[in-house]
Amino acid sequence: MGSKIETIKVSLPLFSFNKGYIPCAIRAAKKCLKKRGAAEQIGMLISTGVYREKHIVEPALSALILRKLIQKSFLCRSFSQDRFKKILAFDLNNGACGLIQALQIIDGYIQSGKIESGLVIAGDSLPKTGKTENYPFSQGAAAILLSKGGMEKGFVCFKTESYPQYKDDFIGYSHFTKGKRVLTIDVKKDFLDHTVRCALTSLDKFLDEEKMKIEDVDLVICSQYPDGFASEIRNRPDLKDKIIYPNGIKSGFHTSAPLFALHSIFKTQRFRTAKNILFLTVGAGITTSIALYSQ
Amino acid sequence: MTTGSYIESIGIKLPEEKVSTQSIIDRMKISPPIKLEKITGIKERHFCSGDENTFSLAVDAAIDCLTYSSIKVHDIEMIIYCSISKFESDLSYYYEPSISTIVKQKIGANGALSFDISNACAGMATGIHIANDFIQRRVVNNCMIVSGEFISNICNNAIQSIETSPSPEFASLTVGDAGAAVILGKTANENGFEVLNLQTFSKYSKLCIGKLSTKYPGAQMFTQMQKLQKVSISESPSFVEQSLREAGLSYSDIDYMIPHQTAKRAIMAGAINFKEYFGSSPKEIIITVELMGNTASTTLFLALYHQLQQKKFRKEDRILLLSFASGLVMGVIVFKLNELVDKYGQ
């Protein structure tokens, strides 16, 4: 039995001076937990993102987000009723694939009955402090609430692969130089080709292992970075009509990209009638992660 | 038969260079000098030097762990990397690729599922919590949880930064560098962890904030130490009691407790508080902070490793690992020792 997607919400920066991840994450999470009883049931909160607000390395950003949610009274009732209401919050980082591992962890805890529901929040910050060089990602956050699903439904399998021969293709790091903190993104020119090749290799392997054909998949929700990745994947004839990726202000995201894409179709007939939805992410490492969601 | 997980092996890495507390005080501008050793009980700690960094600490700890393991490196199915620090030797901080990707490649566990988590000093405890769930559900048969804490830079930055006492950077003076790795294996549920409970008390999440510095290379950490200690002391006994009770255990069932290693005086204050609350004490509260300082996410496993090497424990001894971390995260891990005691101290 897999876990099902209860709801998904996104949030973009409201004002030019308020571009951080945490405010967006709080807004997205609040919207997710708006439904009566949702806040009381969550047992785990994972924040997944690579580039951290103000370069904060501790505590987990998820703890800071949880604190704000409680302060804003969203979870107060559950805490006052049961002091030991167990919420474990932590951060997960695996480049653009971190979202899939976060979903896999929450799905597992729900399956094993340790929690009733869990919240994953994804997004990246252009740190306000210091300089940045070649930072290509949009600001914003997305939250997804998972709860117990039905038999053979919900998230049914996950697969992650690494291609270490391309480990130097994409490196994001922060260093201190000439009295200033500088965030630098180094991308090799072949990164796009390699990500496309790795993603398609992993996809074919996944379908083979799961004894599925691409015809069995209705929608593919994929990473948005590197630029051109989704359109390159769409060039494969059997994937052409299945790829979902948003344009405009809801594009250009890193860790949260698949959630922004999912959000763009979540309430449409196209999503409701889809039986098998594949999440296909690719990022530094090169790492690919795939999740199959059935409904 | 239901499945559980157990600690199959542990490995550590301590840098060669030892730095005394006195030498730290001697480098500070503050007058009169802080009585750091008296307050913390820390005599010395290890600092990285030369090419040592987060990656090398983690990789060397992983290799040490594998030497005690019956699981071959290519059979490792999952790696969770758990440190706060992700520093190269030149103090560049790595955001991506994930460190777990690099560690698995360096040790040759190329087929392992891997990712990084971050939960301050509770990182490794959180990693164990996650790994246990994967093993219980039979998604994997084993998992390496590994961390390399290259955090001496926050101490070096505090030495430059602190001009008055008290200072929010005071806790930064207590840290040391270390790597630690644990392999969890699969076992029958009754032989696995008896308690694995972690919880985030997020209303205290701003009591300790660490971030990359805008003034110096590396990071700086700002802690409201007295408040954090007060909260930890007031909240932890009932949390431990609840965690043990859910497993049908009581505090008197514990043989040894290994708390997060911050400062000797703070650990002793906590131990006295526990004794008053529970009316009993374990045989011993393990304190290793004197010679290693606070090594963040690795402290519990560093302490466990050293006690195993010293043949302190016997089979069937019940150990309680008590994790505290910024967030505020509290964690209780309880297990009975098994063949692990035979592997160490030969």
Side-chain angles (χ1 to χ4, degrees):
Chain A
M1 194 195 318
S3 59
K4 70 172 183 197
I5 300 169
E6 200 66 52
T7 187
I8 175 166
K9 299 291 176 185
V10 300
S11 175
L12 295 168
L14 289 180
F15 310 105
S16 59
F17 60 86
N18 189 9
K19 281 187 173 175
Y21 162 64
I22 292 177
C24 292
I26 292 162
R27 280 196 299 274
K30 272 169 60 179
K31 287 190 237 172
C32 259
L33 299 174
K34 211 171 174 181
K35 194 176 157 188
R36 194 179 167 85
E40 284 83 346
Q41 287 180 349
I42 66 163
M44 187 172 278
L45 192 162
I46 304 177
S47 169
T48 178
V50 179
Y51 301 97
R52 298 170 71 85
E53 180 108 6
K54 296 178 189 168
H55 291 297
I56 293 171
V57 293
E58 74 165 303
L61 297 183
S62 54
L64 295 170
I65 293 165
L66 183 61
R67 173 177 176 267
K68 283 284 184 187
L69 289 174
I70 292 169
Q71 267 187 348
K72 288 176 188 283
S73 301
F74 269 80
L75 303 177
C76 270
R77 198 151 55 88
S78 61
F79 270 79
S80 58
Q81 280 172 2
D82 179 5
R83 194 157 167 255
F84 287 100
K85 170 82 176 164
K86 291 178 186 173
I87 296 183
L88 173 58
F90 62 90
D91 297 349
L92 189 147
N93 167 15
N94 198 14
C97 298
L99 171 70
I100 301 296
Q101 275 92 55
L103 293 172
Q104 186 175 13
I105 290 169
I106 295 227
D107 171 70
Y109 276 78
I110 290 171
Q111 280 193 51
S112 56
K114 291 182 181 124
I115 60 172
E116 287 183 69
S117 67
L119 191 66
V120 177
I121 309 173
D124 294 275
S125 256
L126 173 63
K128 286 176 192 164
T129 45
K131 264 175 66 182
T132 53
E133 289 174 353
N134 309 321
Y135 186 82
F137 306 118
S138 301
Q139 310 282 304
I144 181 168
L145 182 65
L146 302 188
S147 66
K148 199 179 281 183
M151 293 297 285
E152 307 294 323
K153 288 193 174 169
F155 282 102
V156 287
C157 54
F158 298 89
K159 180 83 180 170
T160 293
E161 299 259 359
S162 295
Y163 297 85
Q165 64 270 37
Y166 304 128
K167 68 179 168 55
D168 298 326
D169 270 21
F170 183 104
I171 297 174
Y173 65 101
S174 172
H175 60 293
F176 193 79
T177 181
K178 294 177 186 166
K180 281 197 170 144
R181 180 147 298 284
V182 182
L183 173 66
T184 302
I185 311 286
D186 274 347
V187 190
K188 292 228 168 115
K189 65 177 173 50
D190 291 332
F191 185 53
L192 174 60
D193 287 346
H194 293 161
T195 53
V196 171
R197 199 183 307 161
C198 294
L200 292 176
T201 303
S202 294
L203 175 64
D204 290 336
K205 200 172 163 188
F206 177 87
L207 293 170
D208 196 40
E209 284 174 8
E210 295 302 318
K211 298 184 173 49
M212 288 177 77
K213 292 176 183 163
I214 195 66
E215 294 79 48
D216 301 327
V217 176
D218 301 295
L219 299 173
V220 178
I221 292 168
C222 61
S223 294
Q224 293 173 13
Y225 187 84
D227 286 342
F229 172 76
S231 49
E232 285 288 325
I233 294 282
R234 207 154 66 158
N235 282 340
R236 205 169 99 165
D238 57 355
L239 290 171
K240 194 179 175 196
D241 300 324
K242 300 178 192 291
I243 304 286
I244 303 294
Y245 70 97
N247 293 312
I249 58 165
K250 291 189 177 175
S251 65
F253 294 97
H254 190 30
T255 323
S256 59
L259 295 185
F260 273 91
L262 177 62
H263 183 260
S264 71
I265 56 151
F266 191 62
K267 289 190 172 167
T268 64
Q269 186 70 5
R270 191 176 179 198
F271 180 77
R272 275 197 289 268
T273 55
K275 280 182 77 176
N276 291 316
I277 298 129
L278 211 60
F279 290 80
L280 173 63
T281 59
V282 64
I286 284 176
T287 301
T288 63
S289 286
I290 298 174
L292 176 63
Y293 185 77
S294 295
Q295 57 182 7
Chain B
M1 187 183 76
T2 54
T3 304
S5 71
Y6 73 108
I7 296 177
E8 198 268 344
S9 53
I10 304 174
I12 66 155
K13 172 65 184 180
L14 284 167
E16 290 298 318
E17 188 185 338
K18 291 179 185 175
V19 174
S20 70
T21 296
Q22 189 54 50
S23 72
I24 286 171
I25 298 300
D26 291 345
R27 287 169 57 203
M28 294 183 72
K29 311 175 241 191
I30 192 165
S31 182
I34 303 167
K35 294 173 180 168
L36 187 62
E37 188 171 327
K38 190 179 173 192
I39 297 167
T40 64
I42 300 168
K43 291 189 170 73
E44 61 184 28
R45 75 295 311 278
H46 296 252
F47 274 11
C48 286
S49 58
D51 292 337
E52 288 177 317
N53 56 34
T54 294
F55 308 89
S56 69
L57 291 173
V59 169
D60 289 349
I63 291 168
D64 185 44
C65 189
L66 285 161
T67 63
Y68 293 100
S69 177
S70 60
I71 299 167
K72 301 286 177 221
V73 66
H74 51 265
D75 292 326
I76 297 288
E77 295 182 22
M78 183 162 154
I79 295 178
I80 305 178
Y81 184 79
C82 311
S83 77
I84 303 165
S85 58
K86 296 180 175 184
F87 290 109
E88 266 279 15
S89 309
D90 66 357
L91 296 180
S92 295
Y93 185 90
Y94 270 73
Y95 279 112
E96 55 181 330
S98 61
I99 312 293
S100 57
T101 311
I102 296 161
V103 170
K104 77 173 176 182
Q105 197 200 347
K106 294 234 178 194
I107 65 171
N110 292 321
L113 166 64
S114 64
F115 52 84
D116 296 1
I117 58 152
S118 172
N119 205 9
C121 294
M124 285 191 76
T126 307
I128 284 179
H129 203 278
I130 296 165
N132 177 65
D133 187 67
F134 274 72
I135 292 170
Q136 279 187 328
R137 291 184 296 112
R138 302 178 193 211
V139 178
V140 296
N141 291 302
N142 59 60
C143 176
M144 177 185 279
I145 297 100
V146 59
S147 177
E149 294 289 15
F150 176 20
I151 48 178
S152 46
N153 58 83
I154 68 166
C155 179
N156 289 328
N157 290 339
I159 289 169
Q160 291 184 70
S161 172
I162 293 174
E163 287 175 347
T164 55
S165 179
S167 162
E169 288 188 80
F170 185 79
S172 306
L173 302 172
T174 66
V175 302
D177 298 331
V182 172
I183 293 176
L184 295 193
K186 189 170 74 175
T187 185
N189 195 37
E190 58 269 26
N191 300 326
F193 290 105
E194 294 180 299
V195 180
L196 255 179
N197 190 22
L198 275 94
Q199 189 175 332
T200 305
F201 296 77
S202 64
K203 64 179 168 181
Y204 307 118
S205 59
K206 288 208 160 177
L207 293 183
C208 178
I209 304 272
K211 50 186 167 185
L212 300 187
S213 175
T214 51
K215 289 183 186 168
Y216 312 108
Q220 284 180 280
M221 183 175 75
F222 304 92
T223 312
Q224 297 177 49
M225 257 175 60
Q226 285 184 335
K227 274 191 190 169
L228 194 60
Q229 192 183 344
K230 199 174 163 189
V231 165
S232 302
I233 284 181
S234 66
E235 296 277 7
S236 58
S238 52
F239 176 69
V240 170
E241 184 181 38
Q242 169 105 356
S243 303
L244 292 170
R245 193 193 305 140
E246 284 172 8
L249 296 171
S250 65
Y251 190 62
S252 59
D253 295 322
I254 303 301
D255 295 304
Y256 295 93
M257 180 161 80
I258 305 179
H260 181 57
Q261 305 287 313
T262 49
K264 200 171 179 179
R265 198 186 273 185
I267 296 170
M268 294 307 291
I272 291 164
N273 184 46
F274 269 47
K275 192 175 180 181
E276 284 170 3
Y277 186 90
F278 290 107
S280 66
S281 286
K283 282 179 200 164
E284 192 175 332
I285 312 264
I286 305 294
I287 300 174
T288 57
V289 74
E290 284 173 273
L291 301 177
M292 286 176 275
N294 177 356
T295 58
S297 64
T298 66
T299 66
L300 297 176
F301 303 94
L302 217 57
L304 179 60
Y305 182 94
H306 278 277
Q307 302 308 309
L308 286 166
Q309 292 290 19
Q310 288 170 23
K311 289 281 179 196
K312 164 86 85 186
F313 307 130
R314 294 179 183 174
K315 275 186 190 170
E316 296 294 307
D317 276 345
R318 186 175 273 128
I319 311 292
L320 188 156
L321 305 180
L322 182 58
S323 180
F324 287 107
S326 312
L328 168 78
V329 187
M330 281 190 228
V332 176
I333 301 175
V334 179
F335 55 95
K336 273 189 177 178
L337 282 170
N338 48 29
E339 287 73 22
L340 200 62
V341 294
D342 297 330
K343 292 183 179 179
Y344 294 85
Q346 303 299 334

